[in-house]
């Protein structure tokens, strides 16, 4: 089973975009065909009312290297490049050194899940009140434009296998390793195949569970799961 399929069975979507700052109870905005963007860092900031509950930590939904996701070369290299740069793991334009290839396979290890139940979120939203001046927020809610992140899968280890087609890879392993750090190990594992193992000091989000917040006439009416292969994130 692929990594994406494993996550979807638990109502999670693999994060495939360049943004890697997703966190619990963040509220994002998605209008029609617009790209999803962050709205507020916490639901508590949206309504200026504290959300009082503790997240559930689930180590059972733990990724292993056998569960992987394979991208086409261009998408995969961009995925890896963004991950390395965002977490200051490796200061190098990897696509400048590996320009051609067939595919990039990504897997994670040392992961865990933090999640708030939909019931806890619904209970909170059933009792929120509006500031009379905040008509903009009311419009966004009544139009079902706001999405809340209820769960996040975090990981610390990133494993990458790059199938390159270039013939100029004799010194590529050494060249890439000189740009790396103790967090990154790069090795040539076969002809035109390069493995990259990243051991981060900090965990980073790899998948999210998210719900669309539904209001009718300024009153909360329900949550709709949107982490169902829509690839918003």
């Amino acid at each position: 089973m692929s990594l994406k399929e494993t996550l979807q069975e638990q109502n999670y979507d693999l994060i495939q975009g360049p943004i890697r700052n997703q966190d619990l109870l963040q509220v994002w905005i998605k209008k029609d065909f617009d790209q999803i963007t962050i709205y507020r860092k916490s639901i508590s900031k949206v309504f200026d009312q504290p959300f009082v509950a503790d997240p559930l930590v689930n180590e059972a939904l733990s990724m292993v290297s056998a569960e992987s996701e394979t991208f086409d070369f261009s998408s995969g290299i961009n995925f890896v490049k963004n991950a390395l740069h965002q977490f200051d793991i490796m200061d190098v334009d990897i696509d400048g050194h590996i320009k051609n290839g067939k595919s990039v396979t990504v897997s994670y290890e040392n992961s865990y899940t933090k999640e708030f139940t939909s019931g806890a979120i619904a209970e909170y939203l059933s009792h929120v009140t509006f500031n009379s001046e905040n008509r903009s927020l009311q419009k966004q809610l009544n139009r079902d434009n706001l999405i809340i992140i209820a769960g996040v899968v975090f990981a610390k280890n990133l494993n990458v296998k790059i199938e390159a087609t270039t013939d100029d890879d004799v010194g590529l392993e050494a060249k890439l390793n000189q740009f790396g750090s103790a967090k990154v190990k790069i090795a040539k594992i076969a002809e035109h195949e390069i493995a990259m193992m990243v051991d981060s000091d900090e965990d980073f989000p790899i998948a999210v569970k998210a719900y669309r917040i539904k209001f009718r006439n300024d009153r909360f009416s329900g949550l709709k799961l949107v982490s169902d292969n829509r690839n918003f994130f």
Side-chain angles (χ1 to χ4, degrees):
M1 185 178 293
S2 73
L3 175 59
K4 193 172 185 178
E5 290 170 336
T6 298
L7 290 165
Q8 284 177 353
E9 282 194 347
Q10 303 293 327
N11 295 321
Y12 278 83
D13 270 350
L14 185 67
I15 299 171
Q16 300 192 47
I19 299 174
R20 289 274 158 173
N21 62 353
Q22 289 85 353
D23 207 350
L24 286 173
L25 299 182
Q26 279 181 350
V27 177
W28 293 59
I29 186 166
K30 178 77 169 69
K31 299 180 183 178
D32 298 324
F33 299 104
D34 292 349
Q35 185 175 0
I36 193 167
T37 55
I38 193 165
Y39 182 76
R40 295 290 186 273
K41 291 184 177 180
S42 171
I43 190 72
S44 299
K45 300 293 184 182
V46 174
F47 296 101
D48 197 25
Q49 295 173 235
F51 184 97
V52 183
D54 294 321
L56 304 174
V57 178
N58 178 13
E59 296 184 356
L61 184 55
S62 179
M63 303 299 101
V64 297
S65 58
E67 296 165 321
S68 61
E69 198 68 26
T70 299
F71 302 89
D72 65 74
F73 180 77
S74 178
S75 298
I77 286 294
N78 282 331
F79 179 93
V80 174
K81 179 181 176 181
N82 287 325
L84 294 177
H85 279 230
Q86 182 159 349
F87 293 97
D88 296 322
I89 291 173
M90 189 175 182
D91 187 19
V92 60
D93 287 328
I94 190 169
D95 52 348
H97 296 275
I98 308 175
K99 298 181 179 180
N100 299 293
K102 293 182 179 179
S103 64
V104 176
T105 300
V106 175
S107 63
Y108 299 95
E109 292 179 316
N110 197 4
S111 62
Y112 66 95
T113 304
K114 292 178 74 173
E115 179 179 321
F116 287 101
T117 66
S118 58
I121 296 172
E123 175 68 17
Y124 171 85
L125 291 170
S126 297
H127 296 90
V128 294
T129 56
F130 289 101
N131 183 318
S132 60
E133 299 177 357
N134 202 345
R135 290 300 305 165
S136 174
L137 170 61
Q138 290 172 273
K139 287 180 180 178
Q140 300 300 348
L141 287 166
N142 288 318
R143 293 172 182 171
D144 301 340
N145 287 336
L146 298 187
I147 292 171
I148 184 168
I149 294 179
V152 182
V153 181
F154 296 95
K156 287 190 176 182
N157 301 99
L158 168 65
N159 301 314
V160 180
K161 185 175 74 174
I162 302 169
E163 187 174 353
T165 56
T166 176
D167 292 328
D168 184 27
D169 63 353
V170 177
L172 190 56
E173 177 184 344
K175 188 183 295 184
L176 289 174
N177 274 314
Q178 76 182 36
F179 288 105
S181 66
K183 301 176 183 179
V184 184
K185 295 181 177 64
I186 298 171
K188 184 177 177 182
I189 55 176
E191 185 177 9
H192 305 317
E193 280 194 9
I194 299 163
M196 178 183 297
M197 291 142 284
V198 179
D199 185 2
S200 174
D201 294 332
E202 300 179 7
D203 46 21
F204 51 90
I206 66 171
V208 296
K209 179 186 287 187
Y211 293 92
R212 190 181 294 278
I213 301 172
K214 300 177 72 67
F215 268 67
R216 291 294 177 269
N217 299 318
D218 297 341
R219 294 182 65 85
F220 174 68
S221 64
L223 296 170
K224 182 179 180 181
L225 184 72
V226 294
S227 47
D228 53 2
N229 197 26
R230 300 189 192 196
N231 295 326
F232 282 171
F233 297 94

